[in-house]
Each structure stands twice: as structure tokens, then as C-alpha cells.
Amino acid sequence: MVLGMLRTIREQIETVFREDPAARSTLEILLCYPGLHAILLHRLSHRLHRLGVPLLPRLLSQFGRWITGIEIHPGAKIGRRFFIDHGMGVVIGETTEIGDDVLLYQGVTLGGTGKECGKRRCWAIS
């Protein structure tokens, strides 16, 4: 499990280097990229959510929102190499499904805005 998490962190850092030409160093990415912080907190809260742990996943997601300005519900399904660039105001709802290799910018809401039924999905477009 620890090795898997370290691989995930490394892959996310590589994704930032690939997607953001302003990224200068691994340390800068680890300390200064709220999109990275939000997605790593989401990966942890999502795992707890899937295990049926009560309350803690939502608390982690709210903590992530507080420190990053990016809100990701623990129930959202997010693929690999997902990058949020300039993420202030990003909201990803519980029913959202995001595929691999997706780049997202600020001010985007993914998920329901009313009482519609069904899933909303986002895939990378090549």
C-alpha cells in the first residue's frame, strides 16, 4: 500500500512537469501546487469512502477544500494522471467520473447542479 501511494505521488509529480512548463522542481511542486495537494487528499479520502469509513472521508475532503480552494467529493471517481491547473473554485461532485490523462482549469464544476438522475463523466480528448 505504501509503495502504491509513493508510485501515485511520483506519477502525479511527473504529470505536473508534463502539463505545466512553469514547474521548476519536485520540491516546488510538492510545496506549491494546490491541485497536487487536492488530488492526493482525494485519493486517500476516496479509498476510505470505498471502505465504508464514516465521516472521515468527508472531513478530509473539506480540509482539502479549505487549504486548496478545490472541492472533491470522496465518492468521485478520478483516473490516473489527473492534473488541476490553477484550481481555485473547482468543484467535483460525488457522481463525477473522470478518466485518465485529464487536464482541468479553475472555476469548473463537474457533477449535478440539480435533481437530475444519472452519472456525469469526463474523459480526455485527444
Side-chain angles (χ1 to χ4, degrees), residues 15 18-19 79-83 99-103 123-125:
T15 299
R18 186 180 64 248
E19 297 293 343
R80 296 174 55 200
R81 298 175 301 275
F82 177 57
F83 180 55
D100 295 341
D101 301 304
V102 173
L103 170 61
W123 290 280
I125 299 173

Side-chain angles (χ1 to χ4, degrees), residues 6-51:
L6 290 174
R7 275 189 228 118
T8 298
I9 292 169
R10 189 173 100 204
E11 185 175 60
Q12 287 297 141
I13 291 169
E14 290 169 357
T15 299
V16 174
F17 275 122
R18 186 180 64 248
E19 297 293 343
D20 188 355
R24 302 282 182 246
S25 71
T26 299
L27 184 60
E28 177 188 34
I29 292 168
L30 287 171
L31 295 176
C32 301
Y33 277 71
L36 175 72
H37 304 146
I39 192 64
L40 292 177
L41 279 169
H42 169 72
R43 301 252 186 244
L44 176 59
S45 68
H46 182 70
R47 180 168 289 172
L48 294 171
H49 176 78
R50 287 182 43 214
L51 290 172

Side-chain angles (χ1 to χ4, degrees), residues 43-112:
R43 301 252 186 244
L44 176 59
S45 68
H46 182 70
R47 180 168 289 172
L48 294 171
H49 176 78
R50 287 182 43 214
L51 290 172
V53 175
L55 189 59
L56 184 57
R58 286 301 306 261
L59 287 173
L60 283 173
S61 72
Q62 291 303 300
F63 174 72
R65 175 182 168 207
W66 181 65
I67 65 169
T68 67
I70 300 168
E71 181 175 349
I72 307 174
H73 190 283
K77 296 176 184 168
I78 298 177
R80 296 174 55 200
R81 298 175 301 275
F82 177 57
F83 180 55
I84 303 171
D85 197 9
H86 303 286
M88 184 59 73
V90 167
V91 178
I92 301 173
E94 180 178 16
T95 60
T96 303
E97 295 181 17
I98 300 172
D100 295 341
D101 301 304
V102 173
L103 170 61
L104 196 69
Y105 291 100
Q106 74 278 356
V108 174
T109 298
L110 298 174

